[in-house]
RNA sequence: CGGGGAGUGGCGUAGUUGGCAACGCACGUGCUUUGGGAGCACGAGAUCGUGGGUUCGAGUCCCACCUCCCCGACCA
């Protein structure tokens, strides 16, 4: 490809809206352009990288027997009603009417369609197990897009669906996908860790997220370096030892003016935060006020809390008015004397005696509050976040906390969607059985962004060879002075073209100064930079520079021709 | 949706007490230049996010709205 004809433009200045390196570099180097919040065009370079990433995913899916297909972006709303998700999912599901006034949906995932296809096509146990996948555009009207390609509203996802006879079959498919994901991310140059995760809107019994460790990650991971335990903090259950036992003491009201935070309360009373209980208030999607009680030295984990109280339609922080309507005082709140609220108590609080808790009266707290005696929990469960240094639930060593970006996930779905679609098979026993499904997603664009996060330096992108849009970047200098330069560049360019798509190189044939060309070559990030100039010819050939290391050497023309035709060495 | 910030040629910005919209880069033409973001000359390009209002006069002041970014509640 000749750079003079490439539909792209590099930017000298950083766009102000781009904060993450991947966002900044993909914009500056001309891989993507933004159309709206969370909506991006892939320019030719970006499309090439995306295709290369897809190809890696495709090869690993095919390796475990996945069959590529393609399902529609637009679905009749009825199939989402049948699965219950039309109502269960909020505004992130895109909805519209067609010209006949029928409700339609922009797909955010494809379990419903797979279920319907299974009901149509699979009749016998002989047709299973089976896996299908596709690369398809998803629309998810996220509350907030961020980080360029990291979190967008429209994106291409590889979603795969395993279809098995029974739970044991699902377990095997799940393990196969797990292995495929490990190989996929390794080939993409992404260090990932698979963490146990919440099942969320998918339902089902087990799920893992593949996390790329990055400080800008939106998820917090609980990791044990000693034994390899890894879980999303949303679900990480770390054991908390029993507090020292004490006899319950009589309740005692104390004036604590101006102590609306645990820090100020603990300081005022001269006790540690672990001697206090704090209340947090949430309103569920099904309009229940939840009062969550955790110890002052912990924080509420909304995922655990939502699961514990079986919140339908999610949860949001409650408003001051909602809290007061239940008879509680924000800042001095506790379940004592409260009405019309679901009281969820952390099991550590339930085991801790004589805590300080709010008196539901401004400026007052109670000492010696005991769960069960002074108020009655509706639910007692682990509803707090794991913290750095907590004991690993497997080996007991201290855990560490890290941020991660979810680059893929795997879910054991079960029969939720096949039940909704009536997808059954006739078993050897002559009876109808529901098909057991799993679902497996990888966001292509997010992976592109994460690869840049992992592979860049202060000059630009450094693509791993596996996903680079071109095998090499050819810089020709001084063609006007020495006709051999253009001649050789033409020859290398043609040679690469004939060698096939994976060997294609990008030739900067523009009439630009050497500085501009070198700078752009480093910004664009092809793994190899070839320089042909009167100087390189005088030195005996073509200069070959490895982008990642900066190692450069001048090689005889024949040697460079062989590299271009047969492939460059892959990294160390 | 809550909090914070920003909208001025393609990109990055300046714009004073309200008084001719400016600068760098990029872009076009010509000449020079060619191993690390070249030089000179000429040139094109903006209804200053939108709609109201105040005023002789609004990029600037007031009101409303829209969009985008960042931090929180959701997910690949």
């Amino acid at each position: 490809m000749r750079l003079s004809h490439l539909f792209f433009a590099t930017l000298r200045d950083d766009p102000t809206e781009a904060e993450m390196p991947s966002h900044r570099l993909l914009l500056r180097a001309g891989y993507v352009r933004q159309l709206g919040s969370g909506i991006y065009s892939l320019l030719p370079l970006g499309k090439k990288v995306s295709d290369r990433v897809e190809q890696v995913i495709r090869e690993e899916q095919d390796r475990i027997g996945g069959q590529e297909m393609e399902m529609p972006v637009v679905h009749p709303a009825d199939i989402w009603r049948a699965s219950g998700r039309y109502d269960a999912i909020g505004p992130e599901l895109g909805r519209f009417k067609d010209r006949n006034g029928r409700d339609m949906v922009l797909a955010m995932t494809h379990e419903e369609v797979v279920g319907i296809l299974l009901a149509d096509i699979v009749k016998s146990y002989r047709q299973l197990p089976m896996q299908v996948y596709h690369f398809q555009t998803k629309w998810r009207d996220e509350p907030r897009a961020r980080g360029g390609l990291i979190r967008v509203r429209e994106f291409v996802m590889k979603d795969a669906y395993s279809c098995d006879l029974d739970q044991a079959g699902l377990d095997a498919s799940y393990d196969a996908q797990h292995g495929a994901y490990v190989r996929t991310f390794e080939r993409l140059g992404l260090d990932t860790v698979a963490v146990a995760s919440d099942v969320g809107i998918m339902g089902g019994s087990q799920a893992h997220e593949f996390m790329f460790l990055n400080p800008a990650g939106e998820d917090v991971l609980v990791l044990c370096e000693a034994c390899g335990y890894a879980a999303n903090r949303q679900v990480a259950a770390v054991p908390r030892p029993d507090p020292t036992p004490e006899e319950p003491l009589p309740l005692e009201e104390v004036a604590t003016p101006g102590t609306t935070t645990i820090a100020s309360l603990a300081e005022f009373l001269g006790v540690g935060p672990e001697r206090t209980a704090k209340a947090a208030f949430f309103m569920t999607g099904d309009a229940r006020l939840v009062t969550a009680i955790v110890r002052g030295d912990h924080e509420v984990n909304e995922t655990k809390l939502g699961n514990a109280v079986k919140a339908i339609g999610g949860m949001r922080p409650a408003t001051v008015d909602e809290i007061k309507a239940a008879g509680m005082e924000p800042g001095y709140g506790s379940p004592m004397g409260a009405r019309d609220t679901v009281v969820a108590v952390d099991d550590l609080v339930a085991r801790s005696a004589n805590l300080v808790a709010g008196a539901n009266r401004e400026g007052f707290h109670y000492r010696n509050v005991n769960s069960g005696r002074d108020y009655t929990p509706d639910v007692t469960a682990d509803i707090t976040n794991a913290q750095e240094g907590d004991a690993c639930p497997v080996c007991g060593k201290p855990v560490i906390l890290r941020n991660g970006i979810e680059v893929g996930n795997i879910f054991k779905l079960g029969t939720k969607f096949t039940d909704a679609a009536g997808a059954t098979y006739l078993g050897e026993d002559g009876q109808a059985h529901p098909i057991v499904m799993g679902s497996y997603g990888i966001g292509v664009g997010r992976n592109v962004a994460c690869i840049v996060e992992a592979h860049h330096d202060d000059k630009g992108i450094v693509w791993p060879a596996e996903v680079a849009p071109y095998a090499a970047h050819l810089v020709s200098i001084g063609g006007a002075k020495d006709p051999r330069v253009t001649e050789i560049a033409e020859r290398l360019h043609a040679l690469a073209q004939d060698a096939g798509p994976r060997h294609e190189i990008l030739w900067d044939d523009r009439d630009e100064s050497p500085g501009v060309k070198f700078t752009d070559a480093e910004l664009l990030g092809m793994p190899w930079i070839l320089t042909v100039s009167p100087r390189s010819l005088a030195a005996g050939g073509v200069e070959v520079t490895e982008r990642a290391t900066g190692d450069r050497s001048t090689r005889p023309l024949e040697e460079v021709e062989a590299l271009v035709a047969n492939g460059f060495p892959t990294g160390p």
Side-chain angles (χ1 to χ4, degrees), chain A residues 170-483:
Chain A
L170 172 58
D171 292 345
S173 297
Y174 189 87
D175 289 345
Q177 281 287 352
H178 191 288
Y181 274 38
V182 168
R183 287 189 296 276
T184 300
F185 296 122
E186 197 177 293
R187 286 180 61 185
L188 294 178
L190 292 176
D191 274 329
T192 60
V193 50
V195 303
S197 68
D198 188 46
V199 292
I201 61 164
M202 294 295 184
S205 58
Q206 191 184 7
H208 282 87
E209 294 162 337
F210 283 76
M211 291 288 184
F212 165 64
L213 296 180
N214 182 283
E218 302 174 270
D219 287 88
V220 178
L221 315 178
V222 179
L223 307 174
C224 175
E225 290 175 314
C227 75
Y229 170 81
N232 194 306
R233 185 158 73 169
Q234 290 175 333
V235 299
V238 297
R240 280 85 46 91
D242 278 321
T244 320
E246 345 177 345
E247 284 303 308
L249 299 172
L251 206 59
E252 177 192 335
E253 192 176 51
V254 288
T256 53
T259 58
T260 55
T261 64
I262 288 296
S264 58
L265 174 67
E267 190 188 343
F268 182 86
L269 293 177
V271 300
E274 74 283 358
R275 300 295 298 167
T276 69
K278 68 178 166 191
F281 308 96
F282 300 90
M283 189 58 78
T284 64
D286 49 320
R288 291 179 294 154
L289 179 70
V290 174
T291 303
I293 308 298
V294 300
R295 245 174 40 177
D297 55 337
H298 286 78
E299 48 189 49
V300 174
N301 179 313
E302 288 191 37
T303 302
K304 291 179 183 176
L305 177 62
N307 289 337
V309 302
K310 299 182 168 55
I312 297 168
M315 291 194 309
R316 60 166 173 80
T319 65
V320 168
D321 289 341
E322 287 164 346
I323 297 165
K324 289 192 168 178
M328 292 180 285
E329 181 63 36
Y332 303 90
S334 77
M336 284 178 285
R339 55 182 185 274
D340 300 330
T341 181
V342 178
V343 179
V345 175
D346 185 58
D347 65 306
L348 182 59
V349 169
R351 286 183 279 133
S352 302
N354 302 326
L355 299 179
V356 174
N360 287 323
R361 182 176 158 207
E362 185 162 352
F364 289 89
H365 283 83
Y366 284 117
R367 288 184 193 273
N368 306 325
V369 174
N370 290 277
S371 175
R373 182 192 73 178
D374 302 314
Y375 57 88
T376 309
D378 296 299
V379 179
T380 302
D382 171 9
I383 56 169
T384 60
N385 279 336
Q387 298 176 344
E388 179 106 18
D390 280 351
C392 168
V394 174
C395 74
K397 296 269 172 31
V399 296
I400 58 169
L401 264 41
R402 290 289 181 274
N403 290 87
I405 299 172
E406 184 181 354
V407 289
N409 67 15
I410 54 179
F411 279 94
K412 290 184 183 177
L413 287 176
T415 60
K416 173 177 173 174
F417 294 94
T418 46
D419 285 342
T424 61
Y425 66 90
L426 275 183
E428 273 184 285
D429 57 3
Q431 303 292 308
H433 301 277
I435 298 171
V436 183
M437 274 176 66
S439 142
Y440 314 90
I442 296 178
V444 177
R446 179 179 288 182
N447 273 267
V448 170
C450 286
I451 293 167
V452 176
E453 290 292 330
H455 301 277
H456 72 272
D457 59 23
D458 55 351
K459 292 175 176 162
I461 301 171
V462 186
W463 292 115
E466 183 89 72
V467 299
Y470 293 95
H473 190 123
L474 173 60
V475 173
S476 58
I477 296 168
K481 205 165 25 176
D482 185 342

Side-chain angles (χ1 to χ4, degrees), chain A residues 507-524:
Chain A
W507 173 23
D508 192 346
D509 61 332
R510 297 175 301 177
D511 184 23
E512 287 286 355
S513 70
V516 170
K517 292 189 174 193
F518 287 131
T519 310
D520 277 349
E522 282 153 350
L523 179 60
L524 296 192

